Amino acid sequence: MSITFYKTHEKQLEKILQDYKKKISKSDNELFTDPSISHFKRFETELFKHKLRPYQMEALYILDALYTQSKSDKDIKKLYEKLLESHGKENPVKIPFIGYEMATGSGKTTLMGACICYLLEQGIKNFLIITPKSLDIYNKTIRNFTKGGADSIWDREAPVKFNLITGDDYNHLQFNSDKDFNLFIFNIDKFGPNANKTSKEWESSYFKDKNGNTISVKEFLENEDLAIITDEAHHSQSQSAGGSGNIRVVAKLEIS
């Protein structure tokens, strides 16, 4: 039986959590003036319909610790350089990922939103959520990320502005370049080996290359720094999940 990443690094991860908990226990005045932790308080209480639970916050602490480490750790930097060098090649280097395993009803979709908000602060502007083949899960995820809807994860007053692009409207949407980020929600079939429409150049499409030529949504994603989030990842571990081509990924999360 294979040993999980958590079991291998359990002591280190527990220390990270304890260190963050000590920081978060500071007074509100200190939190407000310390930019390294003040955004966690905002994630916890201001952006989402429901206050984040302790284990969701712990997931964010781990993401922050690993992301911060990736900027300074020489070995991780070398791996990232290899990923970029292999972009576009026939056998690109596989992207490492962070996986969160959570029970049904424990707030997985809200955690996705929190991870997106965190990575947005790190300068990532394009996010792709891939759902399983099930249209029920796909449509539910779209409803969850639609602001103002009954099933939305967002607080009605949350200051998040984004373009929501789905597998149903990507070829004829009206894109607003003033938004803070782009959120793509597709089910896995849109990127499988038999998916042709996402590779098609639609005349009415917003997606353009540097010369102003219309390109497919797949080609657009291949040329942008992109964070991929796999929803219900345990349903997506198949060959069809490998059809995403040479997309240049800077972060990958799997939530199941």
Side-chain angles (χ1 to χ4, degrees):
M1 185 176 71
S2 60
I3 300 174
T4 64
F5 178 90
Y6 177 80
K7 284 297 181 184
T8 304
H9 303 279
E10 185 173 4
K11 290 183 178 179
Q12 181 186 357
L13 294 175
E14 286 296 331
K15 183 179 184 303
I16 290 169
L17 292 178
Q18 293 306 318
D19 288 345
Y20 275 100
K21 286 177 180 177
K22 287 178 183 177
K23 286 184 179 181
I24 299 303
S25 66
K26 291 182 176 183
S27 71
D28 287 341
N29 288 335
E30 288 179 287
L31 277 174
F32 185 76
T33 57
D34 187 342
S36 69
I37 54 178
S38 59
H39 60 300
F40 285 126
K41 201 70 177 177
R42 188 166 62 90
F43 295 154
E44 183 181 21
T45 60
E46 298 178 19
L47 297 181
F48 303 102
K49 188 178 292 184
H50 302 290
K51 179 181 177 180
L52 294 188
R53 300 164 187 168
Y55 55 83
Q56 291 169 314
M57 293 301 296
E58 289 182 353
L60 284 181
Y61 302 154
I62 291 292
L63 174 60
D64 180 57
L66 294 175
Y67 195 89
T68 302
Q69 183 185 10
S70 72
K71 295 179 179 179
S72 57
D73 189 295
K74 291 182 179 179
D75 291 333
I76 296 178
K77 277 189 171 182
K78 287 180 182 178
L79 173 60
Y80 184 64
E81 288 170 0
K82 288 181 180 179
L83 293 174
L84 293 180
E85 288 171 3
S86 72
H87 175 65
K89 293 184 178 179
E90 186 175 344
N91 296 305
V93 175
K94 290 185 178 180
I95 304 296
F97 63 87
I98 303 172
Y100 297 130
E101 185 175 355
M102 301 171 65
T104 300
S106 60
K108 292 182 287 186
T109 310
T110 301
L111 178 58
M112 288 184 213
C115 290
I116 286 171
C117 291
Y118 170 80
L119 292 170
L120 175 64
E121 291 194 348
Q122 310 309 312
I124 300 174
K125 303 293 186 183
N126 291 285
F127 301 88
L128 170 62
I129 295 178
I130 299 180
T131 72
K133 292 183 179 182
S134 166
L135 290 180
D136 289 340
I137 297 175
Y138 165 71
N139 289 321
K140 178 180 178 296
T141 303
I142 293 172
R143 293 196 304 272
N144 289 157
F145 280 97
T146 300
K147 286 192 69 178
D151 297 328
S152 179
I153 62 170
W154 304 106
D155 182 90
R156 288 185 178 275
E157 303 300 321
V160 286
K161 299 177 181 178
F162 57 93
N163 291 301
L164 179 60
I165 305 103
T166 75
D168 301 315
D169 65 11
Y170 64 91
N171 58 343
H172 55 76
L173 62 91
Q174 295 296 315
F175 218 76
N176 186 340
S177 58
D178 293 331
K179 298 295 179 69
D180 297 325
F181 64 95
N182 303 318
L183 176 58
F184 298 81
I185 301 177
F186 288 73
N187 72 354
I188 194 65
D189 283 346
K190 298 289 184 180
F191 288 96
N194 297 319
N196 297 317
K197 289 186 177 181
T198 45
S199 299
K200 182 178 178 180
E201 300 166 1
W202 299 89
E203 289 184 14
S204 59
S205 173
Y206 161 86
F207 304 107
K208 312 287 183 183
D209 63 16
K210 292 180 179 178
N211 297 318
N213 300 313
T214 301
I215 58 176
S216 69
V217 64
K218 198 170 180 180
E219 189 175 351
F220 174 82
L221 293 174
E222 287 175 355
N223 289 286
E224 297 292 327
D225 286 343
L226 180 70
I228 291 181
I229 300 176
T230 308
D231 187 11
E232 300 280 355
H234 56 288
H235 291 307
S236 303
Q237 303 300 326
S238 65
Q239 284 296 94
S240 63
S244 55
N246 297 314
I247 291 176
R248 186 174 68 209
V249 181
V250 295
K252 184 176 180 183
L253 305 174
E254 294 196 349
I255 301 182
S256 61

